[in-house]
Amino acid sequence: MSPELGHYALVLALCVAVAQGTLPLLGARRGDPGMMELGRTAALAQVALIAVAFLALVQAYVTSDFSVANVVRNSHTAKPLLYKITGTWGNHEGSMLLWVLILAVFGAGVAAFGSNLPPSLRARVLGIQGLIGVGFLAFILFTSNPFERLDPAPLNGDDLNPLLQDPGLAFHPPLLYLGYVGFSITFSFAIAALIEGRVDAAWARWVRPWTLASWCFLTLGIALGSWWAYYELGWGGFWFWDPVENASFMPWLLGTALLHSAIVTEKRDALKSWTLLLAILAFSLSLLGTFLVRSGVLTSVHAFAQDPARGLYILGFLIVVVGGGLGLYAWRAPKLAGGGLFAPVSREGGLVFNNLLLATLTLTVFLGTLFPLVLDALDAGKVSVGPPFYVATFIPLSLPLLIAVPIGPFLAWKRGDLRMALRQLVAVGVVAVAAGIVTLFIAHRSVVLAACGIAVAVWLVLGALRELARRIQLFGVPPGDSLRRLVGLPRAAIGMTIAHAALGLTVLGITGVSVWQTETIVMLKPGASVAHAGYEVTLDSVQDVRGPNYVAERARLVYRRDGAVAAILQPERRLFAVQRRVTTEAAIRTSPLADLYATIGESDGKGSWTVRLYHNPLAPWIWLGAALAALGGFISLTDRRLRVGAPRRTRAAAPQPAE
């Protein structure tokens, strides 16, 4: 499979995307079934063509075809096979090809599984999706061609950025893009609904599974990126509020709001305009993240800061998509019929409260991320917005949201009883407050923050379990009946319980690391020891080792407690010969209660090495919570009620006896 074939397939995909973006929309306007059906055919053809192009690029990497400029810039014959494959998307051009492939996959998903959608709505959704594809395919072909040839071809390549030669970051981009690009479908559904002028419970039922799937993948992508930064960059932290980190976090926050808002639209035919706006803004923030990473305005280990001209193209595309979507919303949304009424204290009211706080948190991160960039662009000075700003703003705003999470499911639809809901959670509240009081006596810094964090974590976990216990009437009926009720519960309810409890686990992990982390930075010679977090840590030796495409210094650190060996960690400092770049490979020993974390730095030339030691209590729960939250979402997706167009099963009426 030659690069020319891949390039030709991309050109054909652009032509198909143009047809997909025009003919179905025209057919829906005219009521022409044949033209509307062309959208489905074009979507399936487009994904096949882009898959051919992507596989052609993968083959060029695997075979080390250095006649392709993209391969030369990002690969090397000595690179392990895994990183040759993942190097396909470890660069600007390849990552954009992966982007449009996932975009086409989502469009093909609507074409293949949306047979129960109204033909006009499906045609319009596929048409909008096709127009988005036109923008990105044109961007690739005219500014970021991954198949550009070199003549003569060099004997070897420049190698991939060593920071990207890691399993965590190898699979981080595909998961992140599945979340980012997945919101394009909700955007297309929103624009199609605005064109038709109709939003109802059926529309919300079709949107929810796409939103949930995107949210799950984005959750995994963010968590994997955080985990990679934790062990690869060697700084002992899990989140730095880097602008590129924030670029993925903002659509996650709005996607969470959209997920809950769509429930109100489906169940109560309310919040229609708000749900449409969230669908537009969630994808708009995904495009903003794409612009920040590729415009050259950011310098980050995550960014492809290469060519500002590409950034101008994406900025123009962003303005067209976001401006067009918001303009259509401003024109058509006021004409949508109002939905059902509800009291402020109700399940709907709780979800509105949830949405308002999530939107406020998104705005906070948005301002903290873009304000320094705007000032710099206007030559009005440089301002650094870092963790202290977010600790002072994000945490106080998130606390009421987290406290409200367990209460919402106990409120009735339309009109609820807050006192009755809180009465159901008295025992949970007592345990949470007790946990916070105990924390006050054992925390040695950030005492109030620690107590609040532990109390909220316990409140979330036990609150989710208490709601599940209420559903199955635990201890209220015989155990066998409770088990049967559990088996018979909708999987969406089980998924919700897992996701809400998982949020508590993540809060628990964040609190533990933030409050009780112990850091020791020392210069050690082999045989020397240092006291650290209750351990005696000895630098046993430092040896030179060789990897497939690097050389490294590997330290052997022995942790002892009461004279007995408790752990042995072997961090490395790697030098990648081709790019002459050094990376830090942390060594981590994980237990349910804490991470032992160690890195080795430079030698002072006198036989001593810089050693960084961290003891991170409860750190594993951060990523376990994120993984369980995504698992809860995927379990919910298996609920038949959340499948796109799934018809309801009905029993045939039993014949009535003759009278």
Side-chain angles (χ1 to χ4, degrees), residues 524 528-533 535-539 557-560 598 611 613:
L524 291 179
S529 300
V530 64
H532 168 71
Y535 294 91
E536 182 186 24
V537 184
T538 302
L539 178 60
L557 295 165
V558 181
Y559 286 68
R560 292 182 175 87
V611 176
L613 306 173

Side-chain angles (χ1 to χ4, degrees), residues 589-614:
R589 182 181 182 272
T590 296
S591 71
L593 295 180
D595 276 351
L596 295 178
Y597 183 110
T599 66
I600 181 173
E602 294 184 7
S603 170
D604 63 357
K606 301 177 182 179
S608 297
W609 279 264
T610 303
V611 176
R612 291 177 176 265
L613 306 173
Y614 297 90

Side-chain angles (χ1 to χ4, degrees), residues 345-421:
V345 179
S346 62
R347 182 79 64 87
E348 298 96 322
L351 292 172
V352 169
F353 181 71
N354 157 291
N355 270 226
L356 290 176
L357 285 175
L358 283 169
T360 304
L361 290 170
T362 305
L363 181 61
T364 301
V365 179
F366 180 85
L367 292 175
T369 302
L370 292 190
F371 182 67
L373 301 179
V374 172
L375 285 183
D376 190 28
L378 297 176
D379 201 20
K382 293 186 178 293
V383 175
S384 177
V385 176
F389 167 79
Y390 295 102
V391 170
T393 57
F394 192 89
I395 293 178
L397 287 171
S398 62
L399 278 177
L401 173 64
L402 297 175
I403 292 171
V405 167
I407 300 173
F410 287 93
L411 295 173
W413 291 103
K414 194 173 182 179
R415 183 179 298 276
D417 187 335
L418 182 59
R419 184 179 300 176
M420 184 66 69

Side-chain angles (χ1 to χ4, degrees), residues 459-480:
W459 170 256
L460 286 165
V461 174
L462 295 185
L465 296 177
R466 174 67 184 90
E467 198 273 335
L468 179 64
R470 179 181 67 92
R471 283 177 176 269
I472 64 175
Q473 296 187 14
L474 188 64
F475 306 125
V477 297

Side-chain angles (χ1 to χ4, degrees), residues 110-122:
V110 173
F113 304 113
S115 58
N116 282 6
L117 289 167
S120 61
L121 178 64
R122 185 178 69 176

Side-chain angles (χ1 to χ4, degrees), residues 99 169 172-173 175-181 183 214-226 238-256 281-293 298 300 302 362 365-366 369-370 394:
W99 177 287
L169 208 65
H172 162 66
L175 289 172
L176 199 65
Y177 288 1
L178 283 167
Y180 264 164
V181 184
F183 286 125
S214 303
W215 181 89
C216 291
F217 285 120
L218 189 56
T219 300
L220 289 175
I222 292 173
L224 191 58
S226 170
F238 60 92
W239 192 263
F240 194 66
W241 297 102
D242 179 276
V244 181
E245 291 176 329
N246 295 348
S248 62
F249 190 42
M250 288 187 287
W252 184 89
L253 289 170
L254 272 197
T256 306
L281 292 179
F283 182 57
S284 300
L285 289 176
S286 296
L287 291 179
L288 176 65
T290 304
F291 166 71
L292 291 176
V293 171
L298 294 178
S300 166
H302 308 76
T362 305
V365 179
F366 180 85
T369 302
L370 292 190
F394 192 89

